[in-house]
Amino acid sequence: MTENVLILGATSGIAKALARVMAERGCSLVLAGRNREEMEKSAIDLRLRYQVAVEVEDFDALDFAGHAGFITRCLSRPQPIDGIVLCYGCLPDQRQTETDVDEARRTIDVNFTSAITLLIPLANYLESRRGGYLAAISSVAGDRGRQSNYTYGATKAGLTSYLQGLRNRLYRSGVHVLTIKPGFVDTPMTQGWLNPNSPLVASADRVARDIDRAIRRRRNAIYTPWFWWPIMLVVRAVPEFLFKRTRL
Ligand SMILES: NC(=O)c1ccc[n+]([C@@H]2O[C@H](COP(=O)([O-])OP(=O)(O)OC[C@H]3O[C@@H](n4cnc5c(N)ncnc54)[C@H](OP(=O)(O)O)[C@@H]3O)[C@@H](O)[C@H]2O)c1
């Protein structure tokens, strides 16, 4: 049976790569995001290339009043949604969030508040169907607060923790919850401040393949690429009295 997947933030670099990987294995897709024109282009490309059904939905994470209508539109489609992947997010200028309360709040609302207010009805929907999966992109940045990105990191730490609780709750209803923790990925989000040729920087395609494999294998949480697991093990192990002296 065809797997129907809703991708939130479908214009993200990682989401576009994931949509290709999922379409290649025959999934039908609902692409949701702010940039309709770009999503329509992707939809045409995916339909032609992989002969799968691809629909487009307008979605803005900050339009809280519009969430209920958006979710009703997605969940009342003739083909029920089997999997949901949260890909949207924003990486603010850390220094700006240290003085600009509105920018800090926008970051929290995009990366954390909206994720939770959307996951509540989406999780309940899958729970009532007793199956399917929820996958969300968190970040290695949520593993430990660092001076260079702790506003962003805090939103991802909150998301990671929320997903952990959700996984525990939904286990008995057979709903799979996946936490995705990428390291550095070459996407528009990191353009200009990451060297794409660095061995630590992964392509969106590589990360997308890891995400798709983790969904199929029903993994709980992944670091992607894998080598971020030992890196973050070390980062988390440094005692706080030493860590606070670093310039990370
Ligand atoms: N790149 C990395 O190194 C890295 C590392 C760890 C985790 N991540 C996470 O991976 C996820 C995907 O990011 P990416 O690297 O693929 O970056 P990206 O290409 O810059 O994508 C960010 C996406 O978020 C969407 N977005 C932002 N605000 C939104 C809003 N209010 N409503 C709806 N959509 C909104 C953007 O939509 P528009 O196209 O409309 O702007 C865009 O599609 C994010 O959660 C990010 O935090 C990335």
Side-chain angles (χ1 to χ4, degrees), residues 35-57:
N35 188 336
R36 188 160 193 112
E37 205 181 317
E38 202 181 325
M39 289 190 299
E40 297 282 12
K41 271 192 213 151
S42 296
I44 291 169
D45 182 61
L46 291 165
R47 285 182 204 120
L48 274 176
R49 221 182 269 263
Y50 305 108
Q51 276 87 53
V52 292
V54 185
E55 302 298 327
V56 167
E57 282 288 349

PDB file of all heavy atoms in Angstrom, residues 35-57:
ATOM      1  N   ASN A  35       6.251  28.882   0.715  1.00  0.00           N
ATOM      2  CA  ASN A  35       6.542  29.310  -0.658  1.00  0.00           C
ATOM      3  C   ASN A  35       5.842  28.390  -1.666  1.00  0.00           C
ATOM      4  O   ASN A  35       6.397  27.381  -2.105  1.00  0.00           O
ATOM      5  CB  ASN A  35       8.064  29.305  -0.857  1.00  0.00           C
ATOM      6  CG  ASN A  35       8.466  29.912  -2.169  1.00  0.00           C
ATOM      7  OD1 ASN A  35       7.679  29.952  -3.114  1.00  0.00           O
ATOM      8  ND2 ASN A  35       9.691  30.386  -2.246  1.00  0.00           N
ATOM      9  N   ARG A  36       4.596  28.767  -2.005  1.00  0.00           N
ATOM     10  CA  ARG A  36       3.775  27.904  -2.859  1.00  0.00           C
ATOM     11  C   ARG A  36       4.435  27.678  -4.222  1.00  0.00           C
ATOM     12  O   ARG A  36       4.436  26.562  -4.758  1.00  0.00           O
ATOM     13  CB  ARG A  36       2.381  28.511  -3.025  1.00  0.00           C
ATOM     14  CG  ARG A  36       1.450  27.567  -3.720  1.00  0.00           C
ATOM     15  CD  ARG A  36      -0.001  27.830  -3.541  1.00  0.00           C
ATOM     16  NE  ARG A  36      -0.700  26.652  -4.020  1.00  0.00           N
ATOM     17  CZ  ARG A  36      -1.366  25.812  -3.271  1.00  0.00           C
ATOM     18  NH1 ARG A  36      -1.444  25.992  -1.977  1.00  0.00           N
ATOM     19  NH2 ARG A  36      -1.973  24.755  -3.791  1.00  0.00           N
ATOM     20  N   GLU A  37       4.993  28.745  -4.784  1.00  0.00           N
ATOM     21  CA  GLU A  37       5.579  28.635  -6.127  1.00  0.00           C
ATOM     22  C   GLU A  37       6.695  27.588  -6.149  1.00  0.00           C
ATOM     23  O   GLU A  37       6.748  26.734  -7.036  1.00  0.00           O
ATOM     24  CB  GLU A  37       6.134  30.010  -6.509  1.00  0.00           C
ATOM     25  CG  GLU A  37       6.219  30.217  -7.992  1.00  0.00           C
ATOM     26  CD  GLU A  37       6.801  31.589  -8.295  1.00  0.00           C
ATOM     27  OE1 GLU A  37       6.414  32.580  -7.633  1.00  0.00           O
ATOM     28  OE2 GLU A  37       7.681  31.643  -9.178  1.00  0.00           O
ATOM     29  N   GLU A  38       7.557  27.654  -5.135  1.00  0.00           N
ATOM     30  CA  GLU A  38       8.668  26.698  -5.082  1.00  0.00           C
ATOM     31  C   GLU A  38       8.150  25.273  -4.861  1.00  0.00           C
ATOM     32  O   GLU A  38       8.661  24.316  -5.458  1.00  0.00           O
ATOM     33  CB  GLU A  38       9.640  27.098  -3.969  1.00  0.00           C
ATOM     34  CG  GLU A  38      11.000  26.501  -4.219  1.00  0.00           C
ATOM     35  CD  GLU A  38      12.007  26.836  -3.146  1.00  0.00           C
ATOM     36  OE1 GLU A  38      11.953  27.960  -2.608  1.00  0.00           O
ATOM     37  OE2 GLU A  38      12.846  25.956  -2.863  1.00  0.00           O
ATOM     38  N   MET A  39       7.116  25.144  -4.035  1.00  0.00           N
ATOM     39  CA  MET A  39       6.571  23.792  -3.776  1.00  0.00           C
ATOM     40  C   MET A  39       5.909  23.229  -5.031  1.00  0.00           C
ATOM     41  O   MET A  39       6.024  22.036  -5.309  1.00  0.00           O
ATOM     42  CB  MET A  39       5.577  23.839  -2.620  1.00  0.00           C
ATOM     43  CG  MET A  39       6.240  24.074  -1.272  1.00  0.00           C
ATOM     44  SD  MET A  39       5.101  23.841   0.108  1.00  0.00           S
ATOM     45  CE  MET A  39       3.863  25.064  -0.198  1.00  0.00           C
ATOM     46  N   GLU A  40       5.202  24.100  -5.774  1.00  0.00           N
ATOM     47  CA  GLU A  40       4.559  23.625  -7.016  1.00  0.00           C
ATOM     48  C   GLU A  40       5.632  23.119  -7.983  1.00  0.00           C
ATOM     49  O   GLU A  40       5.438  22.094  -8.638  1.00  0.00           O
ATOM     50  CB  GLU A  40       3.753  24.743  -7.693  1.00  0.00           C
ATOM     51  CG  GLU A  40       2.580  25.278  -6.893  1.00  0.00           C
ATOM     52  CD  GLU A  40       1.339  24.383  -6.927  1.00  0.00           C
ATOM     53  OE1 GLU A  40       1.454  23.243  -7.383  1.00  0.00           O
ATOM     54  OE2 GLU A  40       0.274  24.835  -6.450  1.00  0.00           O
ATOM     55  N   LYS A  41       6.755  23.841  -8.051  1.00  0.00           N
ATOM     56  CA  LYS A  41       7.856  23.406  -8.938  1.00  0.00           C
ATOM     57  C   LYS A  41       8.369  22.043  -8.507  1.00  0.00           C
ATOM     58  O   LYS A  41       8.553  21.147  -9.330  1.00  0.00           O
ATOM     59  CB  LYS A  41       9.015  24.428  -8.863  1.00  0.00           C
ATOM     60  CG  LYS A  41       8.891  25.543  -9.857  1.00  0.00           C
ATOM     61  CD  LYS A  41      10.209  26.299  -9.906  1.00  0.00           C
ATOM     62  CE  LYS A  41       9.949  27.758 -10.193  1.00  0.00           C
ATOM     63  NZ  LYS A  41      10.935  28.668  -9.643  1.00  0.00           N
ATOM     64  N   SER A  42       8.593  21.881  -7.199  1.00  0.00           N
ATOM     65  CA  SER A  42       9.075  20.586  -6.684  1.00  0.00           C
ATOM     66  C   SER A  42       8.059  19.502  -6.986  1.00  0.00           C
ATOM     67  O   SER A  42       8.430  18.383  -7.378  1.00  0.00           O
ATOM     68  CB  SER A  42       9.259  20.628  -5.164  1.00  0.00           C
ATOM     69  OG  SER A  42      10.241  21.526  -4.801  1.00  0.00           O
ATOM     70  N   ALA A  43       6.770  19.814  -6.807  1.00  0.00           N
ATOM     71  CA  ALA A  43       5.722  18.806  -7.018  1.00  0.00           C
ATOM     72  C   ALA A  43       5.735  18.317  -8.469  1.00  0.00           C
ATOM     73  O   ALA A  43       5.675  17.106  -8.726  1.00  0.00           O
ATOM     74  CB  ALA A  43       4.359  19.386  -6.652  1.00  0.00           C
ATOM     75  N   ILE A  44       5.856  19.260  -9.407  1.00  0.00           N
ATOM     76  CA  ILE A  44       5.882  18.879 -10.827  1.00  0.00           C
ATOM     77  C   ILE A  44       7.076  17.960 -11.093  1.00  0.00           C
ATOM     78  O   ILE A  44       6.968  16.903 -11.713  1.00  0.00           O
ATOM     79  CB  ILE A  44       5.933  20.137 -11.726  1.00  0.00           C
ATOM     80  CG1 ILE A  44       4.608  20.892 -11.636  1.00  0.00           C
ATOM     81  CG2 ILE A  44       6.266  19.779 -13.180  1.00  0.00           C
ATOM     82  CD1 ILE A  44       4.616  22.271 -12.267  1.00  0.00           C
ATOM     83  N   ASP A  45       8.221  18.362 -10.562  1.00  0.00           N
ATOM     84  CA  ASP A  45       9.444  17.593 -10.761  1.00  0.00           C
ATOM     85  C   ASP A  45       9.305  16.173 -10.174  1.00  0.00           C
ATOM     86  O   ASP A  45       9.639  15.190 -10.829  1.00  0.00           O
ATOM     87  CB  ASP A  45      10.610  18.350 -10.088  1.00  0.00           C
ATOM     88  CG  ASP A  45      11.913  17.631 -10.294  1.00  0.00           C
ATOM     89  OD1 ASP A  45      12.310  17.473 -11.455  1.00  0.00           O
ATOM     90  OD2 ASP A  45      12.527  17.184  -9.289  1.00  0.00           O
ATOM     91  N   LEU A  46       8.768  16.085  -8.961  1.00  0.00           N
ATOM     92  CA  LEU A  46       8.648  14.776  -8.295  1.00  0.00           C
ATOM     93  C   LEU A  46       7.652  13.873  -9.018  1.00  0.00           C
ATOM     94  O   LEU A  46       7.897  12.680  -9.195  1.00  0.00           O
ATOM     95  CB  LEU A  46       8.212  14.968  -6.835  1.00  0.00           C
ATOM     96  CG  LEU A  46       9.249  15.620  -5.907  1.00  0.00           C
ATOM     97  CD1 LEU A  46       8.606  16.091  -4.605  1.00  0.00           C
ATOM     98  CD2 LEU A  46      10.390  14.649  -5.610  1.00  0.00           C
ATOM     99  N   ARG A  47       6.526  14.467  -9.473  1.00  0.00           N
ATOM    100  CA  ARG A  47       5.518  13.658 -10.187  1.00  0.00           C
ATOM    101  C   ARG A  47       6.112  13.087 -11.475  1.00  0.00           C
ATOM    102  O   ARG A  47       5.944  11.915 -11.786  1.00  0.00           O
ATOM    103  CB  ARG A  47       4.302  14.523 -10.549  1.00  0.00           C
ATOM    104  CG  ARG A  47       3.403  14.840  -9.371  1.00  0.00           C
ATOM    105  CD  ARG A  47       2.198  15.666  -9.853  1.00  0.00           C
ATOM    106  NE  ARG A  47       1.636  16.454  -8.780  1.00  0.00           N
ATOM    107  CZ  ARG A  47       1.534  17.781  -8.777  1.00  0.00           C
ATOM    108  NH1 ARG A  47       1.932  18.500  -9.820  1.00  0.00           N
ATOM    109  NH2 ARG A  47       1.019  18.414  -7.746  1.00  0.00           N
ATOM    110  N   LEU A  48       6.821  13.964 -12.202  1.00  0.00           N
ATOM    111  CA  LEU A  48       7.401  13.535 -13.481  1.00  0.00           C
ATOM    112  C   LEU A  48       8.481  12.479 -13.286  1.00  0.00           C
ATOM    113  O   LEU A  48       8.513  11.468 -13.967  1.00  0.00           O
ATOM    114  CB  LEU A  48       8.041  14.731 -14.182  1.00  0.00           C
ATOM    115  CG  LEU A  48       7.141  15.600 -15.041  1.00  0.00           C
ATOM    116  CD1 LEU A  48       7.919  16.777 -15.573  1.00  0.00           C
ATOM    117  CD2 LEU A  48       6.576  14.766 -16.207  1.00  0.00           C
ATOM    118  N   ARG A  49       9.364  12.755 -12.338  1.00  0.00           N
ATOM    119  CA  ARG A  49      10.525  11.889 -12.144  1.00  0.00           C
ATOM    120  C   ARG A  49      10.154  10.525 -11.560  1.00  0.00           C
ATOM    121  O   ARG A  49      10.711   9.512 -11.938  1.00  0.00           O
ATOM    122  CB  ARG A  49      11.467  12.596 -11.174  1.00  0.00           C
ATOM    123  CG  ARG A  49      12.921  12.491 -11.522  1.00  0.00           C
ATOM    124  CD  ARG A  49      13.711  13.182 -10.451  1.00  0.00           C
ATOM    125  NE  ARG A  49      13.926  14.574 -10.791  1.00  0.00           N
ATOM    126  CZ  ARG A  49      15.043  15.016 -11.362  1.00  0.00           C
ATOM    127  NH1 ARG A  49      16.006  14.182 -11.644  1.00  0.00           N
ATOM    128  NH2 ARG A  49      15.197  16.294 -11.636  1.00  0.00           N
ATOM    129  N   TYR A  50       9.203  10.521 -10.585  1.00  0.00           N
ATOM    130  CA  TYR A  50       8.952   9.274  -9.837  1.00  0.00           C
ATOM    131  C   TYR A  50       7.529   8.735  -9.991  1.00  0.00           C
ATOM    132  O   TYR A  50       7.191   7.732  -9.364  1.00  0.00           O
ATOM    133  CB  TYR A  50       9.263   9.491  -8.351  1.00  0.00           C
ATOM    134  CG  TYR A  50      10.670  10.009  -8.119  1.00  0.00           C
ATOM    135  CD1 TYR A  50      10.883  11.328  -7.716  1.00  0.00           C
ATOM    136  CD2 TYR A  50      11.770   9.182  -8.310  1.00  0.00           C
ATOM    137  CE1 TYR A  50      12.165  11.809  -7.511  1.00  0.00           C
ATOM    138  CE2 TYR A  50      13.059   9.657  -8.112  1.00  0.00           C
ATOM    139  CZ  TYR A  50      13.246  10.973  -7.708  1.00  0.00           C
ATOM    140  OH  TYR A  50      14.518  11.448  -7.514  1.00  0.00           O
ATOM    141  N   GLN A  51       6.682   9.415 -10.768  1.00  0.00           N
ATOM    142  CA  GLN A  51       5.289   8.952 -10.987  1.00  0.00           C
ATOM    143  C   GLN A  51       4.551   8.691  -9.662  1.00  0.00           C
ATOM    144  O   GLN A  51       3.949   7.634  -9.464  1.00  0.00           O
ATOM    145  CB  GLN A  51       5.251   7.680 -11.837  1.00  0.00           C
ATOM    146  CG  GLN A  51       5.308   7.914 -13.319  1.00  0.00           C
ATOM    147  CD  GLN A  51       6.726   7.994 -13.828  1.00  0.00           C
ATOM    148  OE1 GLN A  51       7.510   7.090 -13.577  1.00  0.00           O
ATOM    149  NE2 GLN A  51       7.067   9.062 -14.514  1.00  0.00           N
ATOM    150  N   VAL A  52       4.659   9.634  -8.749  1.00  0.00           N
ATOM    151  CA  VAL A  52       3.924   9.524  -7.476  1.00  0.00           C
ATOM    152  C   VAL A  52       2.989  10.724  -7.353  1.00  0.00           C
ATOM    153  O   VAL A  52       3.171  11.742  -8.026  1.00  0.00           O
ATOM    154  CB  VAL A  52       4.874   9.480  -6.256  1.00  0.00           C
ATOM    155  CG1 VAL A  52       5.683   8.189  -6.230  1.00  0.00           C
ATOM    156  CG2 VAL A  52       5.788  10.702  -6.224  1.00  0.00           C
ATOM    157  N   ALA A  53       1.980  10.589  -6.469  1.00  0.00           N
ATOM    158  CA  ALA A  53       1.056  11.704  -6.237  1.00  0.00           C
ATOM    159  C   ALA A  53       1.716  12.703  -5.285  1.00  0.00           C
ATOM    160  O   ALA A  53       2.268  12.315  -4.251  1.00  0.00           O
ATOM    161  CB  ALA A  53      -0.233  11.179  -5.615  1.00  0.00           C
ATOM    162  N   VAL A  54       1.698  13.976  -5.672  1.00  0.00           N
ATOM    163  CA  VAL A  54       2.275  15.019  -4.818  1.00  0.00           C
ATOM    164  C   VAL A  54       1.302  16.193  -4.767  1.00  0.00           C
ATOM    165  O   VAL A  54       0.902  16.714  -5.802  1.00  0.00           O
ATOM    166  CB  VAL A  54       3.652  15.504  -5.344  1.00  0.00           C
ATOM    167  CG1 VAL A  54       4.268  16.502  -4.374  1.00  0.00           C
ATOM    168  CG2 VAL A  54       4.601  14.343  -5.596  1.00  0.00           C
ATOM    169  N   GLU A  55       0.890  16.569  -3.545  1.00  0.00           N
ATOM    170  CA  GLU A  55      -0.010  17.710  -3.354  1.00  0.00           C
ATOM    171  C   GLU A  55       0.738  18.804  -2.606  1.00  0.00           C
ATOM    172  O   GLU A  55       1.766  18.549  -1.981  1.00  0.00           O
ATOM    173  CB  GLU A  55      -1.249  17.287  -2.547  1.00  0.00           C
ATOM    174  CG  GLU A  55      -2.048  16.155  -3.159  1.00  0.00           C
ATOM    175  CD  GLU A  55      -2.613  16.515  -4.525  1.00  0.00           C
ATOM    176  OE1 GLU A  55      -2.940  17.697  -4.730  1.00  0.00           O
ATOM    177  OE2 GLU A  55      -2.708  15.630  -5.391  1.00  0.00           O
ATOM    178  N   VAL A  56       0.163  19.999  -2.658  1.00  0.00           N
ATOM    179  CA  VAL A  56       0.815  21.152  -2.024  1.00  0.00           C
ATOM    180  C   VAL A  56      -0.175  21.833  -1.087  1.00  0.00           C
ATOM    181  O   VAL A  56      -1.352  21.992  -1.426  1.00  0.00           O
ATOM    182  CB  VAL A  56       1.305  22.126  -3.123  1.00  0.00           C
ATOM    183  CG1 VAL A  56       1.707  23.458  -2.554  1.00  0.00           C
ATOM    184  CG2 VAL A  56       2.460  21.502  -3.906  1.00  0.00           C
ATOM    185  N   GLU A  57       0.275  22.209   0.107  1.00  0.00           N
ATOM    186  CA  GLU A  57      -0.579  22.925   1.073  1.00  0.00           C
ATOM    187  C   GLU A  57       0.167  24.155   1.585  1.00  0.00           C
ATOM    188  O   GLU A  57       1.358  24.063   1.913  1.00  0.00           O
ATOM    189  CB  GLU A  57      -0.898  22.033   2.284  1.00  0.00           C
ATOM    190  CG  GLU A  57      -1.970  20.999   2.067  1.00  0.00           C
ATOM    191  CD  GLU A  57      -3.382  21.589   1.970  1.00  0.00           C
ATOM    192  OE1 GLU A  57      -3.557  22.779   2.284  1.00  0.00           O
ATOM    193  OE2 GLU A  57      -4.279  20.848   1.557  1.00  0.00           O
TER     194      GLU A  57
END
